[in-house]
Amino acid sequence: YGPTTAMSAAFTSCPLAVATEKSLGNFITKQAEQAQRNGQILIAAGDMNSYPTPALDHVGGEVTIRPECFVQVLSSSGAVDAYRGRHPYTRAFTYIHPSGSASRLDHIYILRPHGQVVDVLNAAVIVDWP
């Protein structure tokens, strides 16, 4: 679960949120390095409160893409967003705010070991499920 409002312009004004995000980024970087050394698949999944592509993953309100955002750290480690990998141009949202803004905050990232092929067979955003 990533730090809340990680994409808002005001996020960096909260020292605790910034420290939490940095700690999470350091943790995932170490885990990615360890997985690569050991030839293991790394999967990071959950509500990350950030997204890689505002044009596709967000509507309404102001956003800030910072390199320290959890999904940016995952991407820079070589991990791939399973949904975006299968649907590179599809707009989709997993959270709709009462104000009308919407974002795709929930993700499954996969870091494949060097030299190994790991296929994502399907990835979907399910809306209005019972």
Side-chain angles (χ1 to χ4, degrees):
Y1 185 78
T4 303
T5 69
M7 304 302 284
S8 75
F11 179 80
T12 55
S13 65
C14 179
L16 179 58
V18 171
T20 300
E21 180 180 64
K22 182 177 175 88
S23 176
L24 183 59
N26 289 340
F27 173 77
I28 199 65
T29 298
K30 288 178 185 174
Q31 293 299 304
E33 291 168 354
Q34 180 179 346
Q36 288 299 310
R37 269 195 314 275
N38 295 330
Q40 299 169 325
I41 297 171
L42 174 79
I43 298 175
D47 181 352
M48 299 184 185
N49 281 319
S50 56
Y51 40 84
T53 315
L56 296 173
D57 301 324
H58 179 79
V59 66
E62 184 180 326
V63 299
T64 302
I65 300 292
R66 296 174 299 102
E68 302 85 6
C69 287
F70 191 43
V71 297
Q72 299 301 327
V73 171
L74 282 163
S75 294
S76 68
S77 74
V80 175
D81 174 8
Y83 180 80
R84 192 57 61 218
R86 296 286 299 166
H87 308 281
Y89 306 109
T90 304
R91 288 189 74 173
F93 313 112
T94 60
Y95 174 73
I96 300 172
H97 191 273
S99 71
S101 67
S103 302
R104 190 171 64 88
L105 301 177
D106 304 283
H107 305 273
I108 300 171
Y109 272 81
I110 301 169
L111 177 62
R112 298 163 174 91
H114 294 300
Q116 288 189 12
V117 175
V118 178
D119 291 324
V120 174
L121 300 179
N122 192 9
V125 171
I126 301 170
V127 180
D128 295 330
W129 55 283

